[in-house]
Amino acid sequence: MKRKRTGFTLIETVFSVFILLLICQLAVCSLKTGLTMTNKMTKLKEDPGIPAIQLEEFLKQADLQTEHSNSKKLSVKHHNGKTYNLNKKYGSGGFNLVFGNESGLGYMPLFYQIRTVEFAYQQPLLTCTLETMNHEQNTYGFLINPVSEKDKTDVSKQQKHKKTAPNE
């Protein structure tokens, strides 16, 4: 009588171990990528240089609305015609310095974990002084022009034209 063999052959076992090693390799690579991205995001939050560059690039295409700005809030009119506010807003991990639209619904965080923010404007220099939660103080300077009287009248004419335009 012939005996039936039970169990796995050597080739089946080697093939199974090979597949298991591939799965483990993919998991390790995925974990490394996730940790690298987390570290980069943490460094971005801790490094104030990148948000300062983003803010500077935005302010190059904007004019300061002096009547709507004060030492705690900055209001700028972008060249795309929209108004944006820069102020301190509570978010994850404490207060953040954020750019927001007029309605206050949408915003983009720039600086994280801010204790105080102070804006000072002496034409054309805007200074922004930030104090972080660990009591570090950073001061940034930006060249920005106030909204001119001509721009104000152009905007008011556009608003009147929109109101009087017939509905289509």
Side-chain angles (χ1 to χ4, degrees):
M1 204 188 312
K2 288 188 176 181
R3 287 179 55 198
K4 274 190 161 179
R5 292 185 182 188
T6 59
F8 298 106
T9 64
L10 183 60
I11 292 181
E12 290 172 332
T13 306
V14 168
F15 188 69
S16 298
V17 169
F18 178 72
I19 290 175
L20 184 64
L21 285 174
L22 282 176
I23 291 171
C24 289
Q25 181 67 29
L26 289 173
V28 167
C29 287
S30 172
L31 185 63
K32 278 185 178 179
T33 304
L35 287 174
T36 303
M37 292 304 292
T38 302
N39 289 338
K40 284 182 180 180
M41 293 302 290
T42 303
K43 286 180 184 176
L44 282 177
K45 284 185 176 183
E46 293 172 356
D47 181 16
I50 294 169
I53 292 170
Q54 288 177 325
L55 181 58
E56 181 178 25
E57 288 300 314
F58 185 83
L59 291 176
K60 281 181 183 177
Q61 301 173 14
D63 296 321
L64 181 66
Q65 291 187 312
T66 51
E67 69 273 3
H68 298 295
S69 301
N70 58 43
S71 64
K72 303 291 181 199
K73 175 186 162 192
L74 185 70
S75 183
V76 294
K77 178 140 181 89
H78 199 266
H79 291 172
N80 64 11
K82 296 182 181 177
T83 301
Y84 298 94
N85 297 317
L86 181 66
N87 55 6
K88 190 169 84 168
K89 188 171 189 163
Y90 189 76
S92 62
F95 285 98
N96 303 322
L97 187 63
V98 300
F99 250 127
N101 56 18
E102 283 180 294
S103 63
L105 297 176
Y107 66 92
M108 177 183 78
L110 290 173
F111 295 95
Y112 296 90
Q113 297 180 343
I114 298 298
R115 180 181 296 268
T116 61
V117 60
E118 193 76 30
F119 296 107
Y121 182 68
Q122 287 196 331
Q123 191 172 348
L125 182 65
L126 170 72
T127 56
C128 176
T129 305
L130 303 173
E131 182 182 354
T132 62
M133 294 305 245
N134 54 2
H135 300 287
E136 291 179 16
Q137 196 167 16
N138 297 316
T139 302
Y140 303 96
F142 306 101
L143 294 176
I144 185 170
N145 293 314
V147 174
S148 67
E149 291 301 320
K150 179 183 177 282
D151 292 338
K152 288 179 189 175
T153 56
D154 288 347
V155 169
S156 63
K157 284 180 185 177
Q158 288 174 358
Q159 289 173 348
K160 286 179 185 176
H161 180 67
K162 284 182 184 177
K163 289 179 185 175
T164 58
N167 292 339
E168 294 178 18

